[in-house]
Structures are given as C-alpha cells and as structure tokens.
C-alpha cells in the first residue's frame, strides 16, 4: 500500500528533457522569424513609406507592413547600418537555442547589443569623415552611421 508521503511523477525525466528541448527549438524558430522579419523590414526600407517622420497617403511598400516601415525608419534614421545588429543577434540567438537549448547570460548579451549599436554608428560616422568613399547618403541622408553617427562620430 502506498503511503501519502510518496510522490508520483507525472512524466519521466527523459520525457521532461525532451519536451524542454522541443520547446527551446520552437522558441528558437520564433526568434529566428523575428530576426528575419526585422532584416527584411530593413532591406525593404523605403523613405516614402508612411512612418513616424513621413506623412503620406501612399500605401506602405515595406515587405513587413506598416510596423516594419516604422521600425526600419527608426533604426535606420538613428543608427544607420548598425540598425541591422538586432536582426543579426536574434538570428544568432535562435541558433544557440536550437543547438544548446538556451542562451546564457541574456542580460549581458542585451546590454552588449545596446552598447554595440551606438558604438558602430559612431565608428561609421567617424569613418565617413575620413574616407570620401563613405560620404554617401545611404541608407538615409545622415549616412551609414545614421543620426547617432553623424552627431557623435563627426560624420
């Protein structure tokens, strides 16, 4: 006869580990989807799309819709090419989730990303002052470093 102090397992440890692995892979898939969506929004950026700083009656041309137009406008106007870092980082994290089932030191990784974006923008803004090849107005009029690179990098 079983006593009341015995505990019964609902699922075995092996099945629990397998479910944890599958859930990490599913989360990794959605993280990869978010990263790809962000990169597609940045690649299909159109300065004429309606966004926070553009009022127009034209339809949205961004492949990620109006949200993608707004997000790509904010990232590219402020950080330039460095605005693609979050998309690349999300893809890297999805790979980590699918391979090892976790992303370690997530707070440090987020803090590093938040520091790397303006740092890269400043570096691109400074490089723009040094090289005539980088004096282009791509992807936005502020140049490859965006507004942060233009103001803080001297570009």
């Amino acid at each position: 006869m079983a006593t009341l102090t015995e505990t019964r397992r609902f699922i075995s440890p092996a099945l629990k580990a397998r479910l944890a692995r599958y859930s990490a892979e599913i989360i990794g898939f959605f993280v990869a989807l978010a990263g790809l969506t962000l990169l597609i929004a940045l690649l299909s950026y159109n300065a004429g799309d309606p966004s926070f700083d553009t009022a127009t009656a034209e339809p949205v041309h961004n492949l990620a819709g109006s949200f993608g137009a707004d997000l790509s406008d904010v990232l590219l106007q402020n950080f330039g090419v460095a605005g693609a870092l979050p998309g690349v980082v999300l893809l890297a994290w999805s790979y980590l989730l699918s391979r090892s089932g976790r992303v370690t030191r997530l707070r440090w990784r987020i803090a590093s990303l938040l520091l790397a974006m303006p740092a890269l923008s400043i570096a691109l803004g400074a490089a723009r002052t040094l090289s005539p090849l980088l004096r282009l107005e791509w992807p936005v009029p502020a140049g490859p470093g965006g507004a942060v690179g233009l103001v803080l990098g001297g570009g």
Side-chain angles (χ1 to χ4, degrees):
M1 178 185 224
T3 63
L4 293 176
T5 58
E6 287 183 19
T7 58
R8 298 182 93 190
R9 292 188 181 136
F10 182 67
I11 58 174
S12 70
L15 184 59
K16 188 176 181 180
R18 183 177 289 174
L19 287 174
R21 176 85 177 142
Y22 287 154
S23 64
E25 288 178 1
I26 290 170
I27 292 169
F29 171 76
F30 285 110
V31 169
L33 195 61
L36 285 174
T37 302
L38 176 59
L39 291 176
I40 288 170
L42 291 171
L43 288 173
S44 63
Y45 171 73
N46 184 351
D49 280 345
S51 61
F52 294 121
D53 62 353
T54 305
T56 182
E58 293 292 319
V60 176
H61 297 98
N62 195 302
L63 294 177
S66 62
F67 177 75
D70 289 336
L71 185 62
S72 63
D73 185 58
V74 167
L75 287 174
L76 290 175
Q77 292 287 346
N78 290 314
F79 299 105
V81 178
L85 276 178
V88 173
V89 167
L90 286 173
L91 290 177
W93 289 351
S94 72
Y95 176 77
L96 285 175
L97 282 169
S98 67
R99 299 299 285 165
S100 66
R102 61 190 170 131
V103 177
T104 59
R105 300 185 206 110
L106 187 61
R107 290 182 185 171
W108 285 103
R109 292 175 190 261
I110 292 171
S112 298
L113 172 64
L114 294 176
L115 290 173
M117 285 178 61
L120 181 58
S121 293
I122 292 168
L124 288 170
R128 186 177 185 211
T129 62
L130 300 174
S131 174
L133 295 175
L134 290 175
R135 292 188 194 267
L136 47 108
E137 293 187 358
W138 177 86
V140 291
V148 172
L150 185 65
V151 172
L152 299 178

